[in-house]
Amino acid sequence: MTKQKIVVLSGAGISAESGIKTFRDSNGLWEEHRIEDVATPSGWLKNRQLVLDFYNQRRKQLLNCKPNRAHVALAELEKKYEVAIITQNVDNLHELGGSTKIVHLHGELLKARSTADENLVYNWPRDILPGDTCEKGSQLRPHIVWFGEAVPKMEEAIPLVQEADIFVVVGTSLLVYPAAGLINYTRYETPKWLIDRNDIALPRIPNLKFINEKATTGVDYLVRLLMETN
Ligand code: OAD
């Protein structure tokens, strides 16, 4: 029998209980920085050192974080379903939680890429320093999609969402596009679940249920339900 397909769109809220701050909970500042200074191409051109320092700190912080119950529960779904995780998060907590198919829409903190050729991407679990270069001799930058940059992984994400038999959204404010628009690619009849600790403006989408819980308890509840369903 073919397995049903579950597609999960996750955001910063799923990693909050692992100790990683969300983006929009602190007056528009991200770890004390303006997003324009640290997460845009113009920020990079203006002050490369600041941007490198910022992501070097985020990377160090990540290395002390562990996946939580929500990450692990999503991996358990693979026993019964074909599961794809589409995440806006740049951490590796879905991987550490045991999920095997993960699309990182906004890049990965533990990778670096060439400023000359975006296809040159390297595993980089340490600091990126001025003078660290790709094989073509150009400075390396964090492998992160900054505001104003294209999101090439959307091409991989859209067909997954279109084919989903069940669609789950967890821990995202659904404010950042194009990721927030993915839910519009689901089929009408597909059951959709949205899990968030806070009340959020729900998109007008058919067959959508809201679980108003933090990620650890909300995802655990839903996974138990889905594992029991025939
Ligand atoms: P946001 O910070 O915008 O939203 C986080 C969501 O998680 C909010 O809806 C919170 O209510 C919810 N939340 C917080 N703690 C939670 C918990 N313990 N359990 C469940 N929900 C919780 O983060 P994203 O939507 O992920 O882009 O932000 C999208 C993108 O904007 C990010 O990927 C990042 C950012 O700028 C880049 O860095 C390119």
Side-chain angles (χ1 to χ4, degrees), residues 32-167:
E32 316 303 322
H33 290 277
R34 294 190 325 144
I35 283 179
E36 306 85 79
D37 292 338
V38 293
T40 59
S42 59
W44 171 253
L45 288 176
K46 206 163 95 192
N47 192 342
R48 195 174 72 182
Q49 188 65 54
L50 176 78
V51 177
L52 288 177
D53 287 346
F54 177 77
Y55 286 99
N56 288 342
Q57 281 166 23
R58 304 280 73 72
R59 199 174 299 106
K60 279 202 183 89
Q61 179 192 45
L62 172 59
L63 293 172
N64 290 316
C65 291
K66 293 191 179 67
N68 63 49
R69 178 66 201 145
H71 300 102
V72 173
L74 290 178
E76 286 168 10
L77 281 175
E78 293 188 19
K79 289 183 195 144
K80 181 169 171 189
Y81 295 93
E82 193 178 320
V83 184
I85 311 272
I86 301 169
T87 187
Q88 298 165 84
N89 299 343
V90 297
D91 63 52
N92 63 343
L93 298 182
H94 281 299
E95 284 86 345
L96 294 178
S99 288
T100 57
K101 182 168 176 58
I102 303 156
V103 178
H104 280 277
L105 281 181
H106 292 164
E108 293 175 73
L109 201 44
L110 299 180
K111 292 185 177 170
R113 80 161 178 258
S114 164
T115 45
D117 179 348
E118 62 185 5
N119 296 313
L120 293 177
V121 177
Y122 305 91
N123 287 327
W124 206 272
R126 53 195 177 279
D127 285 356
I128 304 177
L129 302 172
D132 283 337
T133 55
C134 72
E135 64 223 52
K136 292 185 177 171
S138 290
Q139 175 65 40
L140 291 177
R141 59 165 271 184
H143 182 48
I144 304 285
V145 175
W146 288 327
F147 283 91
E149 293 187 318
V151 186
K153 290 279 180 179
M154 283 295 285
E155 277 178 37
E156 208 177 315
I158 290 170
L160 290 171
V161 176
Q162 286 170 327
E163 287 173 17
D165 297 307
I166 299 170
F167 188 65

